[in-house]
Amino acid sequence: MTESNEKELEKARRLIQGVKNNPSVATRIAPVYGETDIDAGISLLELTTESFAKQKKEQHESEAKSQELDNALDEIDTFHKRLRKMGRYMSEANSPESKACNFRGEIPTNFAEWKPYVAQTFNGLKANTDLLTKVSAFGTSAEEIDTYIDKLNEVDTMQIDSNRESAEAQMATVNKGELMRDLKKHASKLRACLDIFYEGNEKQELEKLGITVK
């Protein structure tokens, strides 16, 4: 079973920092794996650790924006469907006002078509004062419709924000993956080096220092 990235990161951390913090080990492998290599490993470890935190943060922000958008769309959709029910009750099936307000027919599921369709219901009902008066008997009002018109107009901005956060989360995920691959490659090379310098029972000395070669 493949280890999680978090476990791989922790293994690399123990290995790289273990060598960095033990001068006797660093001195022994210095002819092949010198101070420059150790510092490069530490730097890569730090960058990878930061990438984990950044990816987690970006993913959280992306999910929050997506949920905010979904909640807004659900709220508008619920109000729109309620208005349509009121309108159907107060208008004839093939009447001009029914057609002007989209009271009947299938609601589009594609956002590009759904938004103007909903806007037509809101604006059409507001423009028909007689029908609006009838519908107000169910408890709605021009002011409430205005509120939802504003909410509908805000959706475009919310969608742009959501798409931006999603793109940033994807970029953070890609960056994390690239750094993790580089770190695993570096750690693998360091383990191979230690495996040559420390053979047999000597490997136990490394384990006492918290350095695992396996």
Side-chain angles (χ1 to χ4, degrees):
M1 181 179 295
T2 303
E3 286 189 294
S4 68
N5 282 330
E6 286 75 12
K7 289 183 178 179
E8 288 281 3
L9 178 63
E10 177 58 20
K11 284 177 61 177
R13 184 194 66 77
R14 290 199 305 268
L15 174 67
I16 294 171
Q17 289 186 342
V19 172
K20 172 71 173 179
N21 296 332
N22 288 278
S24 62
V25 177
T27 299
R28 186 166 180 176
I29 66 174
V32 175
Y33 187 92
E35 185 177 353
T36 300
D37 298 305
I38 292 176
D39 289 342
I42 291 295
S43 177
L44 183 56
L45 177 63
E46 291 174 349
L47 287 173
T48 306
T49 301
E50 290 171 2
S51 77
F52 270 66
K54 181 175 178 58
Q55 190 272 338
K56 185 176 182 179
K57 172 179 174 291
E58 294 292 352
Q59 187 63 37
H60 175 75
E61 291 177 353
S62 174
E63 291 173 355
K65 284 294 183 182
S66 178
Q67 187 61 58
E68 182 182 358
L69 176 60
D70 287 345
N71 290 343
L73 292 174
D74 286 344
E75 183 183 2
I76 295 168
D77 186 54
T78 298
F79 180 71
H80 174 242
K81 289 176 178 177
R82 180 166 168 263
L83 275 187
R84 275 167 50 99
K85 287 175 67 176
M86 299 175 191
R88 286 196 298 272
Y89 186 87
M90 290 296 185
S91 65
E92 296 295 329
N94 294 315
S95 64
E97 58 264 29
S98 178
K99 294 179 181 179
C101 296
N102 288 331
F103 286 151
R104 291 169 174 84
E106 188 174 352
I107 300 174
T109 55
N110 180 278
F111 177 77
E113 298 175 356
W114 174 86
K115 186 172 180 283
Y117 187 91
V118 172
Q120 185 174 330
T121 301
F122 293 166
N123 293 320
L125 185 53
K126 274 203 66 184
N128 192 322
T129 55
D130 290 340
L131 187 56
L132 180 59
T133 299
K134 294 177 182 178
V135 169
S136 65
F138 290 106
T140 192
S141 65
E143 290 74 20
E144 185 177 22
I145 295 174
D146 281 337
T147 297
Y148 278 90
I149 289 174
D150 290 340
K151 290 178 183 290
L152 188 63
N153 290 333
E154 292 170 359
V155 163
D156 286 333
T157 299
M158 294 175 68
Q159 190 167 55
I160 290 171
D161 290 343
S162 179
N163 290 341
R164 184 189 66 250
E165 291 294 345
S166 177
E168 290 177 356
Q170 290 175 17
M171 289 176 60
T173 299
V174 170
N175 184 56
K176 168 187 165 182
E178 292 175 347
L179 285 169
M180 191 63 206
R181 283 192 293 273
D182 290 344
L183 182 65
K184 288 168 69 174
K185 183 178 179 180
H186 184 96
S188 178
K189 188 174 181 179
L190 176 54
R191 288 191 186 95
C193 178
L194 289 168
D195 190 49
I196 295 172
F197 278 97
Y198 290 84
E199 296 183 311
N201 293 333
E202 281 190 307
K203 291 182 179 180
Q204 295 179 5
E205 297 301 317
L206 293 176
E207 292 177 358
K208 290 179 182 178
L209 298 173
I211 302 171
T212 304
V213 179
K214 295 179 182 179

